[in-house]
Amino acid sequence: MAYPFQLGFQDATSPIMEELLHFHDHTLMIVFLISSLVLYIISLMLTTKLTHTSTMDAQEVETIWTILPAIILILIALPSLRILYMMDEINNPALTVKTMGHQWYWSYEYTDYEDLNFDSYMIPTQELKPGELRLLEVDNRVVLPMEMTVRMLISSEDVLHSWAVPSLGLKTDAIPGRLNQTTLMSTRPGLYYGQCSEICGSNHSFMPIVLELVPLAHFEKWSASML
């Protein structure tokens, strides 16, 4: 999760988030190079006299400043499209969880089990235990197996919500009457926090998401205890 005064992204926990971080660094380097070139040209214009008139009319210069931006856009678009297609792939999910957004809590249903569903409410500040995080802890965590593909079916029963977990690279809108889906896979166990990322009313800030990724054996024990 994020820490105070953090400037960058949270540590990647899924392969998709790792790809997004690499793409961010790739694009940021291109932006840095363009900004440096523009700053250099502006400084030259302010400090030197432009007396070489043939440069301003050269066909070669116009060709370069037309083709070069097109090449830069291609270098940004190709990896971006690759990641978009990767995010839409559904590769034989081992588990499906249906998530419903409400004002102002989440409900979860493990569709592969006959009767495994629960609501997840934020724990009020006065009921927090030492070490728990304010506005982020919930009474029922979503327990999922790590290193396995999990499909999340996301919808809403009232207004627009958005189910987002930054460290997994997930952000999917919960729309009434529409079922959206996304996949997640964690490469390591742990607790991963998220929040509703769509303004959904007065208590929008109080809809946290907590995923607990555990080994498969622990998940099976947990699911058996919940049935």
Side-chain angles (χ1 to χ4, degrees), residues 136-196:
L136 287 177
E137 298 292 348
V138 296
D139 55 356
N140 290 309
R141 295 171 176 171
V142 183
V143 181
L144 298 172
M146 57 175 285
E147 295 181 338
M148 297 180 69
T149 303
V150 179
R151 174 172 56 189
M152 303 296 298
L153 302 177
I154 300 168
S155 186
S156 172
E157 284 198 356
D158 37 48
V159 299
L160 290 176
H161 300 280
S162 185
W163 198 82
V165 183
S167 58
L168 291 169
L170 298 176
K171 187 177 186 295
T172 304
D173 288 340
I175 304 172
R178 177 172 177 174
L179 197 63
N180 290 329
Q181 71 175 357
T182 187
T183 57
L184 65 91
M185 184 181 69
S186 174
T187 55
R188 60 179 183 268
L191 288 178
Y192 304 104
Y193 294 87
Q195 289 178 299
C196 177

Side-chain angles (χ1 to χ4, degrees), residues 10 33 38 54 58 60 65 77 105 117 120 152 159 167 178 184:
Q10 297 182 26
L33 293 175
V38 171
S54 61
E60 293 80 3
W65 73 40
Y105 64 97
N117 55 77
S120 181
M152 303 296 298
V159 299
S167 58
R178 177 172 177 174
L184 65 91

Side-chain angles (χ1 to χ4, degrees), residues 25 35 40 65 73 75 113-114 148-149 162 182 193 196 211:
D25 296 340
S35 302
Y40 174 69
W65 73 40
L73 289 176
L75 291 176
Y113 296 83
E114 184 175 351
M148 297 180 69
T149 303
S162 185
T182 187
Y193 294 87
C196 177
L211 303 184

Side-chain angles (χ1 to χ4, degrees), residues 53 63 115 134 148 162 179 194 202 210 226:
T53 55
T63 303
D115 190 22
R134 179 177 173 271
M148 297 180 69
S162 185
L179 197 63
S202 59
V210 182
M226 293 290 289

Side-chain angles (χ1 to χ4, degrees), residues 98-152:
K98 185 170 72 174
T99 303
M100 297 295 293
H102 308 266
Q103 289 182 310
W104 288 270
Y105 64 97
W106 298 98
S107 61
Y108 299 94
E109 179 183 348
Y110 290 71
T111 59
D112 299 285
Y113 296 83
E114 184 175 351
D115 190 22
L116 180 51
N117 55 77
F118 52 83
D119 296 331
S120 181
Y121 290 86
M122 186 195 74
I123 299 177
T125 302
Q126 61 272 18
E127 298 179 11
L128 289 175
K129 298 176 182 177
E132 292 185 335
L133 302 170
R134 179 177 173 271
L135 302 183
L136 287 177
E137 298 292 348
V138 296
D139 55 356
N140 290 309
R141 295 171 176 171
V142 183
V143 181
L144 298 172
M146 57 175 285
E147 295 181 338
M148 297 180 69
T149 303
V150 179
R151 174 172 56 189
M152 303 296 298

